[in-house]
């Protein structure tokens, strides 16, 4: 017998017993708010609220201003958050390379978290499913205070003790600057500081890596490899990015080839695709890059010319979940794997876990919060042993699978920040035509 033939009282009883988390077609964005945490730098956490009480969480990239998200609020109010692609295409023109992408990417992640909650599915399912139940981590390791081979061994072994099987350590410019004899020549004086931070390699007199500098890099890599053994994957970061020329990067890269690194990272400024290709073609060690590139278009040349051996997007700059998945899939067509850069709070971290689960050609996902004692406590949903053996279990809970721990976040807010305070000042339409009006169905 069908329910239609049952008494009216029984039908009403059945209907009243049905629980619906939301009505997706009538869902509307009502607010966008931010709370900025002090972590490794600053973590601006984004929250998108709706008329049905469901909210989505995202994150603006470290070092980016929360206003990169709030300035887009007027384009979101009144919209159905389930139209993620539509909204992303509406806002992506207001983003740019590196930290300028922060707002666009944080919004996309919050929308995906929200949609996952609405339909009761994890974010990886919105990306087409998963290729693994656990995602491998690589642990970031800042350069030690004592920048000697012994100092590096000490900090890297602490990472190994955490159970990590993939570890990155820095070989920064200050390593060469602080070591007697590691540089020849001298930098040009009287330069304005801000421009000097991002100079073209080799500009002016420019510092030059000496034979001692090259030997030092090799000694450090050799000592670390000997200490951790052959079963640990190792990679390095930071000696490039505008400090050394392509030729100097090749000299250093060749010197450390005997230690079988998984990659050397960001050997040239991020916009210098040809420079990366020159280094990548000259070395047997893979070159990884891309953490500051924005959108599919930002990666296309590097992928199609094979300027990067490994693409290394930061989803908080590359475009969020769906766009970064698209980038990784395109790289796979060219035989290029993907590692995910992630310097972020647990919100961005778990977004990377979902993304990493959905990428067939994944190498590993970065964990940059290992030295932050309250990292796990910022959210609910991460177990005490969440990174056992260097892997994170992909959650099956809706959305990102986590929620905020309000008390801990309040304890660690930036001094000038508040806990998701009112942002009405950003509601007014600022650019373009008003396309926000929708009639309720």
């Amino acid at each position: 017998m069908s329910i239609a033939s049952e008494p009216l009282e029984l039908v009403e009883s059945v209907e009243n017993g049905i629980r619906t988390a939301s009505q997706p077609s009538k869902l509307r964005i009502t607010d966008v708010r931010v709370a900025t945490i002090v972590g490794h730098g600053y973590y601006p956490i984004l929250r998108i609220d709706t008329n049905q009480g469901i909210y989505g969480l995202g994150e603006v990239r470290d070092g980016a201003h929360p206003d990169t998200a709030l300035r887009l609020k007027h384009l979101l109010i009144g919209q159905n958050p389930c139209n993620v692609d539509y909204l992303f295409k509406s806002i992506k023109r207001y983003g740019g390379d590196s930290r300028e992408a922060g707002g666009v990417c944080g919004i996309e992640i919050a929308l995906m978290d929200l949609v996952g909650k609405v339909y009761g599915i994890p974010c990886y399912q919105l990306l087409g499913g998963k290729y693994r139940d656990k995602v491998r981590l690589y642990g970031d390791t800042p350069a030690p205070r004592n920048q000697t081979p012994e100092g590096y061994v000490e900090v890297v072994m602490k990472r190994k003790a955490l159970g990590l099987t993939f570890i990155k350590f820095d070989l920064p410019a200050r390593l060469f600057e602080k070591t007697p004899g590691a540089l020849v020549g001298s930098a040009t004086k009287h330069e304005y500081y801000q421009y000097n931070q991002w100079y073209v390699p080799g500009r002016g007199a420019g510092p030059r890596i000496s034979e001692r500098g090259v030997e030092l890099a090799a000694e450090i890599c050799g000592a670390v490899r000997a200490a951790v053994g052959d079963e640990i994957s190792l990679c390095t970061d930071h000696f490039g990015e505008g400090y050394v020329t392509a030729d100097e990067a090749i000299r250093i890269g060749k010197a450390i080839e005997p230690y079988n690194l998984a990659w050397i990272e960001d050997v040239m400024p991020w916009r210098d695709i040809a420079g990366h290709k020159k280094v990548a073609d000259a070395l047997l060690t893979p070159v990884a890059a891309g953490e500051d590139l924005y959108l599919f278009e930002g990666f296309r040349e590097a992928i199609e010319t094979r300027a990067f051996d490994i693409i290394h997007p930061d989803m908080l700059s590359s475009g969020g979940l769906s766009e970064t998945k698209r980038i990784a899939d395109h790289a796979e067509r060219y035989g290029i794997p993907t590692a995910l850069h992630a310097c972020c709070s647990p919100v961005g971290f778990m977004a990377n876990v979902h993304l990493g689960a959905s990428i067939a050609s994944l190498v590993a996902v970065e964990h940059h919060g290992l030295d932050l004692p309250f990292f796990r406590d910022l959210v609910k949903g991460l177990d005490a042993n969440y990174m056992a053996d260097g892997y994170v279990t992909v959650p099956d809970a809706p959305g990102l699978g986590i929620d905020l721990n309000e008390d801990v976040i309040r304890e660690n807010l930036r001094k000038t920040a508040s806990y998701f305070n009112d942002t009405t000042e950003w509601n007014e339409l600022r650019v373009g035509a008003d396309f926000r009006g929708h009639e309720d169905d």
Side-chain angles (χ1 to χ4, degrees), residues 376-398:
R376 182 181 66 87
D377 297 327
L378 289 169
V379 297
K380 303 171 184 176
L382 283 183
D383 295 333
N385 63 342
Y386 72 96
M387 50 174 282
D389 301 321
Y391 290 79
V392 176
T393 300
V394 184
D396 286 322

Side-chain angles (χ1 to χ4, degrees), residues 164-187:
L164 292 165
T165 61
F166 204 133
I167 302 169
K168 181 172 77 175
F169 57 98
D170 292 351
L171 293 178
R174 64 182 179 274
L175 169 68
F176 305 106
E177 293 171 343
K178 291 184 176 182
T179 302
L183 295 175
V184 297
S186 60

Side-chain angles (χ1 to χ4, degrees), residues 314-330:
D314 188 312
M315 67 183 297
L316 302 187
S317 283
S318 57
L321 287 156
S322 295
E323 184 77 355
T324 310
K325 173 68 158 59
R326 183 182 174 213
I327 293 165
D329 288 346
H330 191 60

Side-chain angles (χ1 to χ4, degrees), residues 102-116:
V104 172
C105 301
I107 287 169
E108 193 271 356
I109 295 165
L111 292 172
M112 293 286 277
D113 180 43
L114 210 159
V115 172

